[in-house]
Amino acid sequence: MSYTVSQLLTQDITFQPIEIKGWVRTFRANRFIALNDGSTINNIQCVVDFENTDEALLKRITTGAAVHIKGDLVESQGKGQKVEIQVSSIVILGDSDPDEYPIQPKKHTFEFLRENAHLRTRTNTFSAVMRLRSSLSFAVHKYFNENGFYYMHTPIITGSDAEGAGEMFSVSSLDAKNPPLDDEGHVDYKQDFFGKETNLTVSGQLEAETYAMSLGKVYTFGPTFRAENSNTTRHLAEFWMIEPEVAFMDLAGNMDLAEDFMKSVLSYVLEHNREDLEFLETRLLNEEKTKPQAERSEMSLIEKIKFVVDNNFKRVSYTEAIDILRNCKPNKKKKFKYIIEEWGADLQSEHERFLVEKHFKCPVILFDYPANIKAFYMRLNEDGKTVRAMDILFPGIGEMVGGSQREERLEVLKEKMKALDIPEEELWWYLDLRKYGTAVHSGFGLGFERLVMFTTGMGNIRDVIPYPRTPQNAEF
Ligand code: 4AD
Ligand code: MG
């Protein structure tokens, strides 16, 4: 019978004839194959009877080759594994030239592996990261499914660019070299595919709101695009965002939901992805050893995840945060690049990281931000100057979640749009929600890759998505 490596290592099936297919990780002493098939971080040792094996065949057992092995699963004689395969037959399914294969059994830099992203999941680190990514997405759907949410597919091509979340990529089928022009000499999008200007979506929120106002509780989980030219370790031009939206829920309920949701998905991987997490924890420990003591983390990877699961997130208003920041050492000693002088300042990532990493030392939910640094759709507070916004900040990551209670009052929303020059014609359907049965509602957006970064301890967002899209880079 055919098995996966994971099955062979965990099920009680010794002394049975088995078959397995996988890729050779290493071949040692003409005898020991370490075989991996992606089902687990662990390899299975396959012992070749080299005296009775054709020499030409032995030469083809090279790192990277795909093989089909038949044999018996037996208790291992050697150290390091409980069982091993006594090989009775081996067929090379696909050769791999050892002089050319880029993934040698040695340490490669992440930069090198990014250039070989089509092969990098053949390493322990990237296979563990991508198994965790898969597991986390499953946990996301599981959480919402078990809590009465409907999964909604919001459009990827959008006709509204009013969200104001960032620069957009335009979608057009016009001839870029010779586009049709209108009387004023501007590109005439009436002649374009959709008869209007369209873009790739920066968020599914506005459409999700329409469904929340009929189905009650919905969420989206899909690709999101931002053409910001920010070349950082935390930004992608194409990333995946999870956006729940709930009718009759206020900002406090939104915070409760976000916290419960994150704890649930993290608990799921603690329970189901232990071996991958342990591997990544060791990797991180070794990486940290190369850093100065002061920069090393006090907690191991699994401890950090457990800490988030077991402790309440700290809820702090923007106003309180500004007080803390104004009086903190790095601000007074002008160590920040942007000095916090007064209420109303937009928080930069250096400030967010100070709050979570140095001051509170736990995830922080900041809420009630000044209206003028947040999006038009956020619910204005009674003070007339703050909105019911919340950002969740994570140690080592910064902003993980951005969300808010939405402005449900038609007149207030219209005024806000007018002040920001957002044409009503463009969002007539969004305004309709406030005309017909409007109600308090809230939601948030969580950047999935930032969650994967936190869970895996990877330091660069390019290493937690299969094929990263960043400025000047769309290979593969
Ligand atoms: O804070 P943002 O811009 O919020 C929204 O888009 C709202 N419409 C969400 C909502 O209320 N439904 O983005 C949400 C999250 C951020 O907190 C961050 O984690 C992630 O999306 N994010 C990015 N992740 C990777 N690369 C980028 N360029 C990102 N921009 C935002
Ligand atoms: Mg944000």
Side-chain angles (χ1 to χ4, degrees), residues 309-327:
V309 171
D310 294 337
N311 290 280
N312 291 336
F313 295 6
K314 182 87 188 158
R315 300 182 186 193
V316 185
S317 74
Y318 167 89
T319 303
E320 288 170 75
I322 285 292
D323 277 342
I324 295 167
L325 288 168
R326 225 181 346 213
N327 296 312

Side-chain angles (χ1 to χ4, degrees), residues 93-111:
L93 300 172
D95 288 284
S96 174
D97 185 338
D99 296 328
E100 286 181 16
Y101 184 52
I103 312 296
Q104 296 295 322
K106 63 161 198 173
K107 206 171 153 45
H108 293 289
T109 64
F110 287 159
E111 289 76 15

Side-chain angles (χ1 to χ4, degrees), residues 157-168:
I157 298 174
T158 159
S160 64
D161 64 354
E163 154 97 42
E167 299 292 311
M168 304 180 96

Side-chain angles (χ1 to χ4, degrees), residues 127 159 185 194 237 298 429-430:
S127 65
F194 297 107
E298 289 162 26
W429 49 274
Y430 191 70

